[in-house]
Amino acid sequence: MKQKDYLKDISEIKNLMNKSSRFISLSGLSGILAGIYALIGAAIAYYLVDTYSSGTLLLDGWIFRTVMLVLFLVALFSIITGILLTTKKAKKNGEQIWDSSSKRLISNFLIPLVAGGIYILIILTQGKYGQTGGLMLIFYGLALVSASKYSIGDIKYLGFIEITLGLIAALFPGYGFWLWVIGFGIMHIIYGTIMHFKYDIK
C-alpha cells in the first residue's frame, strides 16, 4: 500500500514539474482552423496566379502583392484564432496564459520563424521564387521543434514533417506550392484533429 502511495506521489510531482515548465494549453482546434485558413488562402492564390498571370508570379506585379496579402491574412487569422482558443482552454484548465513557460515557448518559436521570414524576404527581392515554399516549411518546422521543449512535445513531430516536406520542396521546386498546401493545410488539420481528441476532449 505504501509503495502505491509513493508511486502516486512521484507521479503527481512529475505532473506538477511538467506543468510548471511547459505550456500545455495549446488548442488542437486552432490547428484545424489554421489548416483550413491555409487551404482557403492557397486556393485564392492559385486562382489569381493561374487566371491573371498565366502561372507566373512577378515580384513587382499586383498579383504578387495580392498573394502576399493573402498569406499575411492567413497567418494573422491563424494567430488570432490560436490566441483566442488557447486563452479559452487555459482559463478552463485554471492555467495562466502569460507565464514563464508561455514566454519561453513564444521566444523559442519566434527566433527561427522571424529569422526565416527575413531570409525569405531577402531572396524574394533577388527574384529567387522557386525555393520560397520549401524555406517557409523548413523554418516553420524548425520553429515548432524549438518550441516543443516548452509545450506539448507532440508538436515536434509536426515540425519534423514540415522540415521533411520543405527539403522535398527544395529538391523539387516545381512542386513547392503543393507541398506548402500539404504542410500548412492538410498536416495542420490532421495534427489539430489528433491533438483535439488527445488533449482537448476529456
Side-chain angles (χ1 to χ4, degrees), residues 137-155:
L137 289 164
I138 290 171
F139 281 107
Y140 179 62
L142 290 172
L144 290 176
V145 173
S146 176
S148 67
K149 295 176 292 187
Y150 303 104
S151 182
I152 299 171
D154 294 351
I155 67 172

Side-chain angles (χ1 to χ4, degrees), residues 48-59 61 63-64 129:
L48 290 172
V49 174
D50 188 60
T51 303
Y52 296 103
S53 61
S54 302
T56 303
L57 196 62
L58 300 176
L59 186 61
I63 298 296
F64 176 82
Y129 307 102

Side-chain angles (χ1 to χ4, degrees), residues 37-92:
Y37 299 154
L39 292 179
I40 293 172
I44 294 172
Y46 183 84
Y47 172 78
L48 290 172
V49 174
D50 188 60
T51 303
Y52 296 103
S53 61
S54 302
T56 303
L57 196 62
L58 300 176
L59 186 61
D60 58 351
W62 72 271
I63 298 296
F64 176 82
R65 292 191 292 271
T66 305
V67 168
M68 290 297 102
L69 176 61
V70 170
L71 290 178
F72 172 78
L73 290 175
V74 167
L76 180 64
F77 288 147
S78 298
I79 292 170
I80 292 174
T81 301
I83 291 173
L84 292 175
L85 293 180
T86 298
T87 301
K88 181 179 179 181
K89 182 180 177 182
K91 289 181 178 179
K92 183 179 178 181

